[in-house]
Amino acid sequence: MAKTASNSRKNLRAHYSGARKADPRPITGKESPTELLEHAFSAYVGRQERTAFELMRRSMEVDASIFLTLSGAMTPAGLHQSCIIPLIEKGVISALTTTGANLYHDAHRIIGHAIREVNPNAGDLQYRLARIIRIYDLGFWEEALLDTDRLFSALLRRPEFQRKMTTPEFHYLLGKNIQAIEKKLGVKQPSLLSTCYKHGVPIFVGAVQDGSIFLNAVKLKRLMGDEFKFEIDINDDVYWMAALQHYCRHHFSNKMAIWILGGGVPKNYTLQGEPLLDQILGVPTDGFDIDVQFCVDPVDNGALSSCPAGEGHTWGKVSMEAVEAGSMYVHTDVTAVFPWLTHALLSDTKMRRKPRRLMDVMQEAVMFLDKDVQKRRKSLLKTIDWSPDEAKPDPTEHETYVR
């Protein structure tokens, strides 16, 4: 017995001896961002941050198609200008899923409205009297909303919008129109919409009706009736996400990564493409190879925003390899760390590539998935009927025990 315990201890100590050393070094101010991350971020959230950076680098090194999700009020905070747009321009981001609010608030600056820093404790009753809209410690005039509503109302009335379309099609058209406006106004810092249009990056919005751009579509429908024909095709929208992921799995490097900024609808809307393929359509897939998330939410309350990669793996959203060595949940505010990590990534000239331009191959991707679905049509038809006679409820399953 003593010999067995001794052997176990020896094996465990040998495994520990191979672990990475915490290797802090005096900071001189001459370190590159990567060198600083390697040696000054050895533990706790700092280690999570370093590991996330290593996975971001790996995403590029394996030439993965990178799906980025963006929730919260990130464009008012300027994260798109500091981080997302540069990453798109360097070919890092392949596809984007965001909230409609992030696209709407981005337009304020384009038409001349400023977003300013405000005191979050100054009093919301006073802010309302002054018609200042507050997003925590940022604020803007109510006129910014009203003028932006007029902008999108005018765009949505244009002939090219008078049809049924997916959110990538919708935002591609918006980006094209916004780019023309930016040129006419001499805007020096382009919007997220026009940047994605320029570089062929699809923009998905999973809850498009939960945002002010679509609120203007509601107004136009009531005012113009059948003359206003704009409509979002939610069926094709979900299918297109799965089609893109299936296409990326079988093209380019065959690798996929997801970088999650925040949580919310954008996170699940992107991840659910994998179970749609595997569980619903019967098209085999492995899930995302790399999963990196930055979020402040606790992971123990059952919320989707904070569920880690391991939980996602049980749904088929990320691969086994991602859970074992390719995922990191960084428990922090996105705005506190992502600009720094973007700087560290882009300081290495190797971390750049030509844009994937997935918007250009969208129809090819849809046809590619259509072929695989058609091959399984016979077996899929067996999954669309159900009868109560098939249910075999366990009478003890829902018993209540009282002590």
Side-chain angles (χ1 to χ4, degrees), residues 146-158:
L146 303 178
D147 290 345
T148 304
D149 289 336
R150 290 173 58 206
L151 166 67
F152 284 112
S153 290
L155 292 179
L156 286 169
R157 290 174 54 215
R158 292 184 175 179

Side-chain angles (χ1 to χ4, degrees), residues 323-334:
V323 176
E324 293 179 339
S327 66
M328 177 51 59
Y329 182 96
V330 187
H331 194 253
T332 189
D333 180 358
V334 175

Side-chain angles (χ1 to χ4, degrees), residues 162-303:
Q162 305 313 307
R163 62 181 178 86
K164 196 172 187 177
M165 63 183 75
T166 61
T167 59
E169 289 178 294
F170 176 45
H171 298 115
Y172 187 79
L173 286 175
L174 283 178
K176 181 179 180 180
N177 281 272
I178 292 292
Q179 183 185 64
I181 292 170
E182 290 170 353
K183 288 182 179 179
K184 187 171 184 178
L185 296 177
V187 173
K188 295 181 179 180
Q189 288 186 299
S191 64
L192 187 57
L193 276 167
S194 66
T195 300
C196 287
Y197 164 74
K198 179 180 178 180
H199 295 283
V201 175
I203 300 177
F204 289 88
V205 173
V208 67
Q209 70 275 25
D210 185 29
S212 292
I213 294 178
F214 196 82
L215 295 186
N216 286 284
V218 173
K219 173 184 67 179
L220 291 172
K221 185 63 177 178
R222 283 292 173 262
L223 290 174
M224 302 173 67
D226 292 340
E227 182 183 342
F228 184 67
K229 302 183 185 303
F230 168 74
E231 186 179 352
I232 293 296
D233 189 333
I234 59 173
N235 194 308
D236 273 2
D237 206 75
V238 175
Y239 191 80
W240 280 26
M241 176 66 83
L244 266 191
Q245 292 173 14
H246 185 54
Y247 186 85
C248 290
R249 173 62 67 195
H250 296 277
H251 293 77
F252 311 115
S253 69
N254 304 331
K255 297 290 185 181
M256 293 196 305
I258 183 167
W259 297 358
I260 305 165
L261 307 187
V265 170
K267 175 183 179 178
N268 187 66
Y269 200 74
T270 306
L271 286 170
Q272 74 176 5
E274 294 297 286
L276 170 60
L277 288 168
D278 195 52
Q279 299 163 18
I280 305 298
L281 299 176
V283 177
T285 188
D286 297 321
F288 283 90
D289 303 288
I290 295 172
D291 178 306
V292 181
Q293 181 171 1
F294 305 86
C295 189
V296 296
D297 293 349
V299 299
D300 58 356
N301 63 1

Side-chain angles (χ1 to χ4, degrees), residues 115-133:
I115 295 177
R116 303 182 186 277
E117 297 178 6
V118 300
N119 181 354
N121 301 310
D124 289 327
L125 297 179
Q126 286 73 21
Y127 280 139
R128 182 57 182 164
L129 285 172
R131 288 299 190 264
I132 295 173
I133 309 297

